[in-house]
Amino acid sequence: MIRRAAPAAGVALGAAVLLAFARGPRAGAVTGQLTILERPGERTTDLENAVVYLEPARGARAREERQPLDQRLPDPDSLHSQIAMQGRQFVPRVRVVPAGSWVDFPNQDSFSHNIFSSASGASFDLGLYGKGKSRPAKFRKAGTFPIFCNIHARMTAYVVALNSPHYAQPAADGRFSIAGVPPGRYTVHFWHERAPEQTREITVGPSGATSLDAQLDARGYKWVAHKNKFGQEYSSAGGERY
């Protein structure tokens, strides 16, 4: 049975993605724990920004493709999620959405922002707008898309657009659970902005799969300020360096 979506934008979208598929009696959960290898003396504080997701393995046919149309994911074009601007930060920093859906960018700060992305497949410029206003952007294809502000050089977010409903973002301790996964062969992706992505092939049985643990290596990560929407460095004349 499909439940009604919760009123909050992010919760509503997550509920639509995770609950729109009919859950057959053989669908199970894929669970595990993700850790990040840091430089000596450093500790991980951003595991919740990771994304773990499943796609049918090459040559495997997803069970969802054989379901009746009325049991598939709703039209992505009708789905809206949200990333807000609060205190010169994006909240949340990472948002997972179905490919083809919209993300609204409400400004909750007392000053203006100019949200943009130069990524192939999701290039947009929402222009300058102030407190209490919101503008949307559409993410037409699957991929991971960095989002920036043309005013504040340290503002960065990521939209992860998927063609799969089977995903999770770990808890603060790295534990994750992906519910309602039909049996079959899948490629599992482990993504975090500070580390190279990992993939592996797994087989999910009638009762799911457990102990799917992975470690990403962030020791080579170095923060670099992004360029503005014109491809230039930020300056006191063209933008704020914070």
Side-chain angles (χ1 to χ4, degrees), residues 48-229:
E48 293 158 293
N49 289 334
V51 180
V52 182
Y53 66 96
L54 306 176
E55 294 181 319
R58 183 174 298 181
R61 187 181 181 189
R63 178 171 300 218
E64 289 84 353
E65 295 178 356
R66 302 194 297 272
Q67 289 182 332
L69 289 175
D70 61 356
Q71 294 182 359
R72 296 186 189 176
L73 195 65
D75 178 11
D77 193 53
S78 68
L79 298 177
H80 279 248
S81 186
Q82 176 179 293
I83 297 178
M85 288 87 78
Q86 297 177 0
R88 297 189 180 92
Q89 296 182 20
F90 288 107
V91 181
R93 185 176 177 88
V94 178
R95 174 69 79 193
V96 184
V97 303
S101 61
W102 295 83
V103 176
D104 297 318
F105 292 89
N107 185 357
Q108 299 176 1
D109 281 326
S110 60
F111 41 85
S112 296
H113 291 286
N114 182 174
I115 307 308
F116 76 97
S117 177
S118 301
S120 176
S123 179
F124 64 86
D125 180 358
L126 299 185
L128 192 68
Y129 58 101
K131 180 180 180 179
K133 296 183 179 180
S134 181
R135 295 180 180 175
K138 187 173 184 178
F139 294 82
R140 301 179 181 278
K141 68 176 187 178
T144 300
F145 305 103
I147 312 298
F148 306 114
C149 176
N150 195 54
I151 308 299
H152 305 98
R154 288 184 175 270
M155 284 185 65
T156 303
Y158 293 88
V159 171
V160 182
L162 302 178
N163 285 324
S164 169
H166 306 306
Y167 74 88
Q169 291 187 256
D173 63 359
R175 297 184 185 277
F176 64 87
S177 179
I178 305 173
V181 181
R185 290 187 299 110
Y186 295 87
T187 299
V188 56
H189 298 251
F190 299 93
W191 177 89
H192 192 281
E193 63 177 287
R194 296 191 295 108
E197 182 176 333
Q198 282 189 24
T199 62
R200 75 176 72 150
E201 189 169 308
I202 64 169
T203 298
V204 177
S207 59
T210 60
S211 301
L212 185 62
D213 300 342
Q215 183 176 69
L216 298 178
D217 190 346
R219 291 175 298 177
Y221 173 78
K222 181 179 180 181
W223 180 84
V224 178
H226 66 267
K227 301 291 196 300
N228 66 20
K229 66 182 182 181

